[in-house]
Amino acid sequence: MAAVGLENATAAARPQRPAIPFLPEVMLAALGIGAFFAFPNDLAFLARILITGLFVLSLSLVLGQAGIPTLGHSASMGTGAYAAGLFAIHVSQDPLAGLLAGGLAGGVIAVVTGALLLRTAHLTFVMLTIAVAQILYEIANQAAWLTGGDNGLSGISVDPILGVFGFDLYSRTSYLYALAVLMVSYFILRTIVDSPFGLTSRGIHSDPERMRALGCNTYRHLLIVFTIGGLFAGLAGALSAQVAQVVGLASLSFGTSGDALVMLIVGGSARLPGALVGTVVFMIVEHVAATVNPYHWLFIIGGLLIVTVLVLPGGLISVVDWVSARMPWRTFGRGARHG
Amino acid sequence: MADVLQLEGLCKNFGGLVVASDVTFGLAPGDRTALIGPNGAGKTTLVNLISGALHPSSGDITLDGRSLVRLSMPARVQAGVVRTFQLNRLFRDQTVGDNVRIAVLQQKRQSLRLWQSRADRIAVEAAVDHVLGALHLEAREGRLVRTLAYGEQRLLEIALALALEPRVLLLDEPAAGVPRGESGVIMDVIASLPPSLAVLLIEHDMDLVFRFARRIVVLASGAILTIGTPDEVAADDRVKQLYFGRDGHVSQSSQIS
């Protein structure tokens, strides 16, 4: 463990850019397409992993980079999901327009609630994020005429993507569609993390008061981070609405926010790839363990979380770093190099 | 030269406790003024009032005649009033280079950029190199701050402030915690600060104060006891009494060597 920490230190200390411009995205595509051919019967489940991965990535920006301790990130995801669902039912069945609608809705919820909530900090902030998500949950529950309430919003169907790729029974299109959206999102988020904006976000994460003494308007900065995070969470929600063709209240629930937090911590919050590693591990463990023993699979998730937090504070991604630093090529996950 | 920063009848009290009382003095470009006084005299309170961490109960602080008291801390920094911290406040898990880069991005108003042009990137890197060079930290650029020696961290604290290109610099005990033998580097750095900068040094180390200051403000119980040249202050009986006590015994707070 000490060795892992040390390796992180030197890795972070060595400023370098990936030699190949789109290396992380290319690797993501390679892994994604590999899984597509390896598990043709599990594509619906794999698509869910990709969508959840996007949601956890957006949390990684908000919490991992900027240190905003939200436990109500599902507010943006659920709002995005309902917005995309309603958009498909009432406005247009174009999937890309629906994505945009979901992303915008997630961003709007984030900017409106963030403008108020980010005036507070610490435990107060955490509690208020939970409260906002709970209120939205209850609104969606009560407004059954609009959202379907308890039964969920059903009847969502979308046109073929770009008018060409129709959604099929085996989730092939859904999976590749989710993979494409995830890749583009990853590239954008990685660019943000590596930008001056991202560096400043990590500064605020370390010491917000110090940043103010350097002349930084931390409130404005965090509000922008929170909004971008909400936008991508909304995108994830929209994807799930289009792929599952139904939106449930669970998308706004506290459990959704909590699970995402566990996935982020297990995978590692300091760098973007950690979010994806955590999501994949969490969801596969959940999937497999629930099949083996449907009543006690949470033991395994709980154990995983305890072991990670105690033994690998940097998350599972620090193991990947440790291994790759000992390989001759030293490339994996160097995309977002910041710790 | 006309004063750039002016404190005018500055008062601060917490309930009945007076921590600043009618403090009036100014700083001109190029000033090298030291603020001294025994523990609890209100030196750090004054820094907090000027930087915006505390709001005065009454009185005014002006920069070029414009009042600062209604401005937030970040706005005062953007106006050119920058402080360092007595206890290191650095981004410990980032590299030395990134620490300075964070400050340079603030100075250049580029901290919200999601994308940097090549020209902007080069300008930022040049500024980072310049600041690191001025503080003799070039060789440490890639190191994580938490792996630096304490004295180097003190230098980095000053580097962050200089990266903001301030007009008024408040140095809050820059040599605090640095062993006597190693404070020479910090003295050299302070001696080579830009000549046009107005500097207020808060310091316990009298060696440093008398080497650096061309004017000394003596604070006692929140009020100004006297203002004068180092020679005048050294000869002032009230100052001696303040530091050495009424009966000639060296008091706890004295660090006059």
Side-chain angles (χ1 to χ4, degrees):
Chain A
M1 182 220 151
V4 171
L6 205 65
E7 197 51 52
N8 270 346
T10 51
R14 192 190 325 121
Q16 58 175 351
R17 337 199 80 252
I20 308 166
F22 294 100
L23 185 62
E25 289 77 25
V26 169
M27 293 183 65
L28 199 59
L31 288 169
I33 291 169
F36 178 79
F37 288 111
F39 307 103
N41 299 322
D42 296 310
L43 290 180
F45 171 61
L46 293 182
R48 271 208 297 129
I49 293 187
L50 295 179
I51 294 166
T52 310
L54 177 57
F55 179 52
V56 180
L57 268 181
S58 71
L59 183 62
S60 182
L61 179 75
V62 171
L63 178 66
Q65 293 291 317
I68 303 173
T70 174
L71 265 177
H73 203 48
S74 63
S76 286
M77 161 121 152
T79 305
Y82 278 108
L86 292 169
F87 185 84
I89 293 169
H90 300 293
V91 183
S92 154
Q93 299 199 345
D94 183 68
L96 298 183
L99 273 188
L100 199 66
L104 282 177
V108 166
I109 278 293
V111 73
V112 170
T113 59
L116 179 70
L117 268 54
L118 286 166
R119 296 280 178 197
T120 69
H122 310 299
L123 198 57
T124 314
F125 179 83
V126 176
M127 290 302 126
L128 288 174
T129 58
I130 296 174
V132 164
Q134 297 285 24
I135 289 168
L136 288 174
Y137 181 98
E138 203 46 44
I139 290 174
N141 189 23
Q142 294 295 322
W145 57 272
L146 183 67
T147 63
D150 238 0
N151 300 322
L153 180 66
S154 53
I156 303 167
S157 70
V158 284
D159 290 339
I161 300 157
L162 303 172
V164 181
F165 306 104
F167 288 87
D168 58 299
L169 211 57
Y170 307 100
S171 301
R172 281 193 284 258
T173 305
S174 305
Y175 177 79
L176 294 174
Y177 175 46
L179 183 62
V181 173
L182 179 64
M183 275 170 54
V184 172
S185 303
Y186 191 92
F187 173 72
I188 296 170
L189 288 168
R190 185 168 64 88
T191 306
I192 293 172
V193 165
D194 284 341
S195 71
F197 181 82
L199 181 62
T200 304
S201 304
R202 290 188 291 283
I204 297 174
H205 188 172
S206 308
D207 191 341
E209 274 310 296
R210 187 65 176 105
M211 286 303 299
R212 286 170 56 75
L214 291 175
C216 178
N217 184 340
T218 52
Y219 168 76
R220 183 182 62 183
H221 198 98
L222 291 177
L223 184 57
I224 296 172
V225 175
F226 199 64
T227 305
I228 297 174
L231 205 143
F232 281 96
L235 213 54
L239 258 184
S240 82
Q242 294 178 346
V243 166
Q245 303 193 322
V246 61
V247 179
L249 282 174
S251 64
L252 282 166
S253 73
F254 177 67
T256 300
S257 302
D259 283 351
L261 181 62
V262 173
M263 294 180 211
L264 183 64
I265 301 303
V266 166
S269 65
R271 301 203 297 112
L272 287 180
L276 297 183
V277 171
T279 308
V280 169
V281 169
F282 182 103
M283 290 188 70
I284 289 178
V285 168
E286 178 184 353
H287 190 68
V288 173
T291 318
V292 175
N293 186 335
Y295 300 106
H296 299 121
W297 65 274
L298 274 171
F299 273 119
I300 302 182
I301 293 291
L304 188 68
L305 183 60
I306 291 172
V307 170
T308 316
V309 170
L310 291 181
V311 182
L312 290 169
L316 293 173
I317 191 71
S318 54
V319 178
V320 178
D321 285 343
W322 188 81
V323 172
S324 73
R326 274 154 186 72
M327 295 289 177
W329 52 87
R330 296 185 177 219
T331 49
F332 184 84
R334 287 257 57 83
R337 61 189 155 83
H338 299 291
Chain B
M1 217 178 309
D3 287 347
V4 48
L5 185 79
Q6 179 70 44
L7 310 185
E8 195 68 60
L10 213 53
C11 297
K12 176 70 183 176
N13 50 282
F14 297 107
L17 179 68
V18 179
V19 288
S21 153
D22 198 22
V23 174
T24 300
F25 69 93
L27 288 175
D31 259 7
R32 295 293 182 266
T33 298
L35 182 66
I36 67 169
N39 284 339
K43 302 187 294 293
T44 295
T45 299
L46 207 53
V47 174
N48 286 336
L49 285 170
I50 298 171
S51 70
L54 288 174
H55 289 279
S57 307
S58 65
D60 202 3
I61 305 164
T62 57
L63 186 75
D64 295 330
R66 277 197 318 132
S67 176
L68 293 180
V69 290
R70 287 183 182 282
L71 295 187
S72 68
M73 194 193 304
R76 295 185 197 194
V77 174
Q78 285 170 14
V81 182
V82 173
R83 69 171 295 183
T84 66
F85 288 84
Q86 187 179 341
L87 301 170
N88 289 331
R89 291 285 292 270
L90 301 166
F91 308 108
R92 294 175 54 78
D93 294 327
Q94 315 262 16
T95 63
V96 172
D98 275 349
N99 268 258
V100 176
R101 205 164 283 121
I102 286 171
V104 168
L105 289 168
Q106 287 298 328
Q107 196 278 325
K108 293 189 177 298
R109 307 277 195 275
Q110 292 183 11
S111 64
L112 292 177
R113 296 271 183 93
L114 299 178
W115 181 255
Q116 244 179 335
S117 73
R118 201 177 136 74
D120 281 342
R121 193 196 307 275
I122 290 170
V124 167
E125 293 313 305
V128 170
D129 290 345
H130 175 75
V131 171
L132 288 175
L135 279 293
H136 316 297
L137 288 169
E138 315 92 316
R140 300 282 180 264
E141 175 163 8
R143 287 268 296 275
L144 293 181
V145 169
R146 61 180 149 83
T147 69
L148 288 188
Y150 183 77
E152 290 174 328
Q153 294 191 17
R154 295 306 292 159
L155 287 177
L156 186 56
E157 183 72 44
I158 299 172
L160 292 191
L162 288 183
L164 299 171
E165 298 181 10
R167 301 179 60 208
V168 177
L169 179 62
L170 312 170
L171 291 170
D172 195 355
E173 301 200 28
V178 179
R180 270 290 163 79
E182 294 168 27
S183 61
V185 185
I186 291 174
M187 286 198 199
D188 291 345
V189 162
I190 292 172
S192 63
L193 289 172
S196 62
L197 188 59
V199 183
L200 183 66
L201 173 79
I202 295 87
E203 188 53 73
H204 271 304
D205 183 332
M206 289 302 154
D207 278 349
L208 193 49
V209 166
F210 280 90
R211 273 181 55 171
F212 160 85
R214 291 198 280 273
R215 186 174 63 143
I216 295 177
V217 177
V218 184
L219 213 57
S221 308
I224 292 178
L225 186 70
T226 181
I227 299 180
T229 65
D231 288 342
E232 290 166 0
V233 167
D236 193 309
D237 283 338
R238 290 170 302 171
V239 178
K240 285 181 192 165
Q241 202 169 58
L242 186 68
Y243 270 90
F244 289 104
R246 202 173 297 275
D247 49 7
H249 287 121
V250 176
S251 71
Q252 203 65 30
S253 62
S254 166
Q255 291 192 16
I256 293 183
S257 52

